């Protein structure tokens, strides 16, 4: 295992999961997206064998879900960039996202925000430019907001991909309230997990990254002050990517709110 990986603990350790999923997608005969950097970065960073249970053959769903959620956030981001004159993208808890390199060519500014240990790792693999910058801070250290350019908030897209469930509900509320006061009208693309996802929390607790925030449905976001624009159930997106037996099961189960709300991607306005 690479020395780089052994330095990751707690929530930062989970950044390897989507990276592995994106790399695995590249071996698909018809990948949803092209991401050669994911393959390269995974080789350079190394793999944590304790995370293998998330991507073993018996847990094939891990790779499929990683690819689907990546592609859906790509779609949301591409639309935002195309529809704004000075588009700014801020990935909160960016990990080793390579989204900028896939779809960020026409963005005005792109920021990757994450903890110092993660930004240090990214700096070994990626290069900052005026267009593409790294912010080394906790998302809960609100001073990071001072790093963003002075543009109309409508131009800003915040992406919270797999981040907020690691925080307590009061912390999430504080973050949302602060962002709303600073960037009213900006877009927040957020992933949320439902109460049914508590069945997976033990697995994350075992790697030092317990899940803490669960929602009943996207209306809980409305109660926190966000305007819900679009909602996608992750298990209903791109059903052709699943084995046919799974397609039938997921189609059935996601008709029930309890299962439909297990994993949602929600586009909101601050």
């Amino acid at each position: 295992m690479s020395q780089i990986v052994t330095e990751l603990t707690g929530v930062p350790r989970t950044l390897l999961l989507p990276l592995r999923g994106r790399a695995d997608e590249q071996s698909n005969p018809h990948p949803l997206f092209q991401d050669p950097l994911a393959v390269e970065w995974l080789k350079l960073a190394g793999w944590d064998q304790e995370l293998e249970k998330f991507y073993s053959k018996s847990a094939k769903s891990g790779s499929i879900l990683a690819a689907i959620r990546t592609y859906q956030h790509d779609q949301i981001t591409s639309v935002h960039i195309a529809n704004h004159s000075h588009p700014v993208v801020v990935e909160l808890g960016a990990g080793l996202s390579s989204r900028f390199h896939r779809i960020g060519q026409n963005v005005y500014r792109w920021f990757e925000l994450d903890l110092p240990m993660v930004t240090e790792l990214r700096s070994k693999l990626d290069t900052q430019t005026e267009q593409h910058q790294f912010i080394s801070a906790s998302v809960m250290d609100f001073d990071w907001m001072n790093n963003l350019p002075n543009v109309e908030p409508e131009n800003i897209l915040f992406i919270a991909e797999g981040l907020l469930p690691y925080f307590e509900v009061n912390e999430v509320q504080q973050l949302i309230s602060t962002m709303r006061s600073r960037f009213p009208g900006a877009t927040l693309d957020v992933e949320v997990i439902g109460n049914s996802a508590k069945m997976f929390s033990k697995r994350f607790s075992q790697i030092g990254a317990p899940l803490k925030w669960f929602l009943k449905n996207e209306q809980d976001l409305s109660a926190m002050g966000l305007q819900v624009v679009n909602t996608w159930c992750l298990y209903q997106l791109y059903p052709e990517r699943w084995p046919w037996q799974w397609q039938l099961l997921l189609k059935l189960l996601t008709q029930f709110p309890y299962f439909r709300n297990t994993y949602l991607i929600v586009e909101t306005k601050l």
Side-chain angles (χ1 to χ4, degrees), residues 2 8 10 21 29 45 60 109 116-117 131 138-139 146 152 168 174 183 192 205 220 232 241 251 270:
S2 167
L8 296 175
K60 185 178 179 181
R109 293 286 188 274
M117 71 173 71
Q131 184 188 33
S138 166
V139 71
N146 299 327
E152 291 297 322
E168 300 286 355
Q174 186 180 11
F183 309 104
V192 296
S205 295
D220 285 355
W232 298 272
R241 298 314 304 268
K251 185 176 181 180
L270 294 172

Side-chain angles (χ1 to χ4, degrees), residues 2-266:
S2 167
Q3 180 63 33
I4 293 177
V5 169
T6 62
E7 295 171 357
L8 296 175
T9 60
V11 175
R13 193 178 183 189
T14 66
L15 67 82
L16 293 170
L17 296 173
L19 179 65
R20 166 73 180 272
R22 300 198 315 273
D24 285 352
E25 178 68 7
Q26 303 314 293
S27 63
N28 189 295
H30 304 286
L32 285 172
F33 51 87
Q34 300 292 331
D35 196 347
L37 279 180
V39 178
E40 178 184 343
W41 289 356
L42 184 61
K43 289 180 180 178
L44 292 172
W47 177 242
D48 185 338
Q49 288 300 324
E50 289 189 49
L51 302 181
E52 189 62 32
K53 56 189 171 186
F54 290 92
Y55 283 110
S56 64
K57 290 184 178 179
S58 62
K60 185 178 179 181
S61 60
S63 292
I64 297 174
L65 288 172
I68 290 174
R69 63 195 280 247
T70 295
Y71 187 61
Q72 185 62 23
H73 289 296
D74 281 2
Q75 298 299 101
I76 294 169
T77 306
S78 294
V79 170
H80 176 84
I81 292 172
N83 290 340
H84 293 85
S85 57
H86 290 82
V88 174
V89 175
V90 186
E91 294 202 75
L92 305 175
L96 289 181
S97 169
S98 49
R99 182 165 288 116
F100 167 78
H101 298 284
R102 288 196 302 275
I103 61 173
Q105 292 75 20
N106 296 322
V107 77
Y108 175 59
R109 293 286 188 274
W110 192 296
F111 297 90
E112 313 278 6
L113 182 146
D114 216 315
L115 296 170
M117 71 173 71
V118 177
T119 304
E120 181 181 356
L121 172 56
R122 174 178 286 277
S123 297
K124 296 176 181 178
L125 303 171
D126 202 0
T127 303
Q128 292 194 77
T129 64
E130 182 179 0
Q131 184 188 33
H132 182 213
Q133 300 177 28
F134 313 156
I135 301 176
S136 182
S138 166
V139 71
M140 295 300 172
D141 176 8
F142 300 146
D143 286 346
W144 63 262
M145 299 180 188
N146 299 327
N147 289 274
L148 304 191
N150 185 21
V151 298
E152 291 297 322
E154 289 80 3
N155 287 285
I156 304 176
L157 168 66
F158 296 99
I159 304 173
E161 182 180 0
L163 171 69
L164 298 186
Y166 295 111
F167 292 96
E168 300 286 355
V169 62
N170 62 305
E171 294 177 302
V172 177
Q173 180 65 77
Q174 186 180 11
L175 175 63
I176 289 173
S177 297
T178 304
M179 291 174 66
R180 286 185 65 215
S181 66
R182 292 288 299 271
F183 309 104
T187 298
L188 172 61
D189 167 25
V190 60
E191 290 183 357
V192 296
I193 56 176
N195 290 319
S196 57
K198 290 181 179 179
M199 68 182 75
F200 305 115
S201 60
K202 182 178 179 180
R203 182 177 293 181
F204 283 90
S205 295
Q206 289 172 344
I207 62 171
L211 301 173
K212 302 175 182 178
W213 180 49
F214 303 90
L215 280 73
K216 181 178 180 181
N217 54 44
E218 64 269 32
Q219 295 310 311
D220 285 355
L221 292 175
S222 299
M224 299 177 82
L226 294 171
Q227 176 188 345
V228 174
V229 178
N230 288 301
T231 304
W232 298 272
C233 168
L234 195 64
Y235 293 101
Q236 292 175 336
L237 289 170
Y238 315 109
E240 68 279 2
R241 298 314 304 268
W242 297 93
W244 68 267
Q245 303 95 325
W246 294 35
Q247 292 181 33
L248 297 174
L249 181 61
L250 290 174
K251 185 176 181 180
L252 172 64
L253 290 178
T254 54
Q255 300 305 307
F256 299 94
Y258 182 74
F259 291 99
R260 178 258 185 190
N261 299 330
T262 299
Y263 208 128
L264 303 177
I265 296 176
V266 189

